[in-house]
Amino acid sequence: MPTARRSINEIMYGEDELDVALLQPPLFKPIFPEDQDPVFNQYLGVVTGHAALMNDLGTEPNHGLLQLAAILLAAGAKTDVFDFHVLDIALRQRRQIITEADYREVIARKSARLYGISSKIVSASRAMRIAEIIKELHPGSRVVMGGVHPTFSATQILEKCHAVDAVMRGEADHAIVPLWRWATGGGELADIPGVTFRDHAGHVVSTEKDLAQIDLDELPYAAYELVARETDPLVPRILTARGCTLRCVFCASAALFGYKFNSRHAARVVDQIEATRNRFGVEFVCMGDLTFMAHKPTGVAICQELIQRDLGVRWSTQTTIGRIDPASARLMADSGCVQIGFGVESGSKLIIANNNKNVHIGQAEEQFAAVKDAGMSVQTYWVFGLPGETVATAMRSIELMRDWIARELVDAVHITVAVPYPGTPLGENPAAYGVRIVDRNFDNYWTSSASLGIGLPVIESRDLTREHIYMFWQLAHAAAGDEFAKRFAKLEGSVHYIPRATDTGDAPLADVLLPDPQRLGRPLDLMPAEHLSRRTRVEIQRSRDQLRQGDAGQ
């Protein structure tokens, strides 16, 4: 029998005395889906149920926290993970959006010596507020933060939020147990590598971080037993490597891993997949690499090992153009792979070169064809507003995206806007790339990559304002939705394999992220805003009536 998992209410509202509590803040804007960008909502209305972005699930757990939890549990620390992002989604089933009162209610029930908070850039303010509530309710505890954003903004966080005692920079596998021991009075922060903190004089200081590669095969498997069962289907993210061989100027993930690449042994990867399947009954996993097949012998060996063991597990992954050939595509498909996501980013060779992407866009179609011929689906990633973007390059990307969808070379798209993340070349030296940051409020650093996380870009280029970039992002979704609508009209069902949710008796959370048709009405059927003049509203209503009823008799 699969390992039983708790409900979100059991996790969040139980009374717990712990050694370490690991927390994730909510990640969404405090709005409901039908209040989101109408162009994006129209796109969702077209693709939902037909296309699947298997590497980008709205209810995906924080795998990094689950990995740290496993390390702590193996060391004997009583540990749990409290995901306010999942709680937010659960509350939305009751048409409620998470508030500070919800943080307070949960934290009051969780006594721990060490609280660890994982923060992305748009959740940094909420992470700091959670830290303040922890210190207020549990004044004797210690609070540390980690994740991509704190790694490169440690000093700013410590200066702004005195409730945070320390920041873990980068990979924290070797730091988390010493931090727990420090929180219980054993050891000093100054002896823990890769930590930024305040010394006794109140000055912010940092210990040196060891960038030597971690033996990933020595780490315990992520503690998926701590994930709320309402998030099913559980899709474990299995890493065959950390880091990336590319040096894209906009990538925060590559920066987090110190721009290095650390690969695992193929047999150990498949051992983890087999153990995870046996323990949790999963039928699908995500190979969570940034660039699968970056080290081709390892990628090939993983596929061969999966075929030999015949585990019956399907999987997806992502890579970059130039990594896949017909032989490796067939091998991946034979081993259970059903979708590959490609980081295309732009249809312009100039944009790709300006951003150190180092791929040959001309190879894309043959790569996609090889994947499709092997029986898998293709997902592509696009970013608008990258350095060098112009009207012409943005339109080139949209036209190419539309062409690939129409020709059935691409089955799903993931469209974002460029964000100048701290720690990346683009974020640290935007002027060198012809970009100006026009909004430095991290609360607004949305990639606009998913429902409830859409916002006006925070950068502009020599040729495009932030409004231009947002317009092209909308146009790309409109164009993609138009082509997918034509294609899906010819189909029954989906072009993808979509994992099934386990029947646990709990209401699934995924549907909460979709606009409620009863509240939204038809896509783009928007009522005139009340702040408009009466004359403008009359004319809008006249146009709407004419559109619905024709102009006979007028």
Side-chain angles (χ1 to χ4, degrees):
M1 290 290 294
T3 298
R5 291 167 26 233
R6 300 163 295 169
S7 71
I8 187 63
N9 284 341
E10 290 174 307
I11 294 171
M12 303 303 276
Y13 298 117
E15 302 285 342
D16 294 300
E17 292 186 7
L18 302 165
D19 295 312
V20 183
L22 301 175
L23 304 92
Q24 174 169 253
L27 304 175
F28 291 148
K29 283 187 172 182
I31 61 174
F32 291 109
E34 56 271 15
D35 299 321
Q36 189 56 278
D37 183 272
V39 176
F40 184 78
N41 278 345
Q42 185 181 41
Y43 171 79
L44 282 182
V46 170
V47 301
T48 299
H50 295 286
L53 299 173
M54 297 181 181
N55 301 306
D56 304 279
L57 303 175
T59 55
E60 186 173 14
N62 186 315
H63 302 276
L65 284 184
L66 296 170
Q67 181 66 71
L68 295 182
I71 293 169
L72 286 161
L73 290 167
K78 189 176 182 182
T79 305
D80 209 343
V81 175
F82 305 104
D83 195 331
F84 285 111
H85 177 61
V86 173
L87 180 61
D88 184 25
I89 299 172
L91 290 171
R92 290 167 185 270
Q93 290 181 322
R94 306 197 296 268
R95 297 295 294 178
Q96 298 173 11
I97 292 175
I98 197 166
T99 66
E100 185 175 305
D102 295 302
Y103 306 157
R104 188 175 294 277
E105 181 177 2
V106 171
I107 292 168
R109 299 169 182 266
K110 313 299 180 187
S111 172
R113 302 299 296 272
L114 176 67
Y115 293 83
I117 306 173
S118 174
S119 177
K120 294 185 178 180
I121 194 164
V122 293
S123 62
S125 294
R126 286 173 279 189
M128 287 185 278
R129 184 60 190 133
I130 288 170
E132 291 168 348
I133 293 172
I134 291 170
K135 283 291 192 177
E136 177 187 337
L137 297 177
H138 307 287
S141 65
R142 300 290 191 178
V143 177
V144 299
M145 285 182 65
V148 179
H149 176 60
T151 290
F152 299 107
S153 303
T155 297
Q156 296 93 315
I157 287 171
L158 290 169
E159 289 176 346
K160 186 174 183 179
C161 183
H162 287 272
V164 177
D165 296 300
V167 171
M168 299 178 287
R169 305 191 315 277
E171 297 167 283
D173 308 272
H174 290 168
I176 191 63
V177 170
L179 282 166
W180 162 48
R181 290 173 178 152
W182 157 76
T184 60
E188 298 290 336
L189 286 175
D191 297 326
I192 303 175
V195 176
T196 300
F197 60 99
R198 299 179 207 87
D199 64 14
H200 295 298
H203 301 128
V204 175
V205 296
S206 295
T207 60
E208 184 176 352
K209 184 171 182 61
D210 184 3
L211 294 181
Q213 291 185 341
I214 297 168
D215 187 342
L216 300 177
D217 290 321
E218 288 187 347
L219 299 178
Y221 301 152
Y224 286 105
E225 66 272 19
L226 304 181
V227 178
R229 61 182 179 237
E230 290 95 335
T231 62
D232 282 345
L234 174 65
V235 178
R237 185 171 285 262
I238 308 295
L239 291 177
T240 78
R242 284 184 185 173
C244 185
T245 57
L246 300 180
R247 297 292 179 264
C248 304
V249 304
F250 55 86
C251 183
S253 296
L256 178 70
F257 296 117
Y259 293 101
K260 58 186 179 65
F261 181 78
N262 188 2
S263 185
R264 297 177 64 187
H265 291 91
R268 301 289 79 78
V269 172
V270 182
D271 285 347
Q272 183 178 1
I273 293 173
E274 184 171 8
T276 304
R277 181 205 64 174
N278 293 344
R279 186 172 184 189
F280 300 106
V282 298
E283 62 176 26
F284 188 89
V285 301
C286 170
M287 298 286 195
D289 300 17
L290 297 175
T291 312
F292 189 75
M293 288 285 184
H295 185 250
K296 195 165 186 178
T298 300
V300 168
I302 289 170
C303 294
Q304 291 172 335
E305 188 78 14
L306 285 168
I307 292 170
Q308 180 180 339
R309 297 197 200 183
D310 192 21
L311 299 179
V313 175
R314 304 190 194 190
W315 55 282
S316 66
T317 193
Q318 65 187 61
T319 189
T320 54
I321 296 165
R323 306 288 180 180
I324 307 297
D325 56 35
S328 59
R330 287 192 297 271
L331 184 65
M332 291 173 70
D334 290 344
S335 70
C337 185
V338 297
Q339 184 186 82
I340 303 176
F342 289 87
V344 176
E345 324 308 357
S346 173
S348 165
K349 295 179 182 178
L350 177 63
I351 299 298
I352 290 172
N354 283 348
N355 289 273
N356 292 342
K357 187 68 182 178
N358 194 28
V359 300
H360 300 288
I361 191 70
Q363 297 177 349
E365 293 192 11
E366 63 184 57
Q367 299 263 287
F368 301 162
V371 172
K372 297 284 289 183
D373 289 345
M376 298 178 285
S377 63
V378 172
Q379 174 184 338
T380 51
Y381 292 86
W382 303 82
V383 184
F384 287 87
L386 289 170
E389 189 85 279
T390 65
V391 170
T393 63
M395 289 304 300
R396 168 62 180 159
S397 294
I398 293 170
E399 291 163 3
L400 190 60
M401 181 192 306
R402 184 164 198 154
D403 177 59
W404 285 344
I405 296 169
R407 293 162 54 203
E408 301 188 7
L409 287 170
V410 168
D411 305 299
V413 294
H414 186 274
I415 306 166
T416 68
V417 298
V419 176
Y421 292 113
T424 65
L426 181 59
E428 298 299 323
N429 190 10
Y433 299 96
V435 166
R436 187 169 75 92
I437 300 176
V438 295
D439 185 347
R440 293 187 178 272
N441 182 351
F442 291 150
D443 293 349
N444 298 327
Y445 275 45
W446 301 98
T447 61
S448 297
S449 62
S451 182
L452 302 180
I454 296 171
L456 199 64
V458 299
I459 61 173
E460 62 183 17
S461 68
R462 295 189 181 100
D463 297 279
L464 300 179
T465 66
R466 61 199 301 206
E467 288 80 11
H468 280 123
I469 297 169
Y470 188 72
M471 175 194 70
F472 285 121
W473 174 88
Q474 288 181 311
L475 184 59
H477 277 98
D482 185 51
E483 285 304 330
F484 278 130
K486 296 174 188 175
R487 183 171 166 189
F488 297 151
K490 306 172 188 176
L491 296 174
E492 292 184 6
S494 171
V495 298
H496 298 277
Y497 165 83
I498 299 178
R500 298 190 308 272
T502 302
D503 185 7
T504 61
D506 301 294
L509 301 184
D511 289 346
V512 180
L513 306 182
L514 300 175
D516 183 348
Q518 298 300 318
R519 298 176 184 274
L520 180 66
R522 295 183 306 165
L524 301 182
D525 188 14
L526 306 178
M527 293 300 294
E530 290 298 323
H531 70 269
L532 297 176
S533 70
R534 181 178 181 279
R535 174 74 186 197
T536 301
R537 284 186 277 124
V538 167
E539 294 303 326
I540 289 174
Q541 189 62 51
R542 189 193 311 277
S543 296
R544 288 161 61 89
D545 291 342
Q546 184 173 338
L547 181 64
R548 285 196 295 260
Q549 303 169 9
D551 58 358
Q554 295 189 18

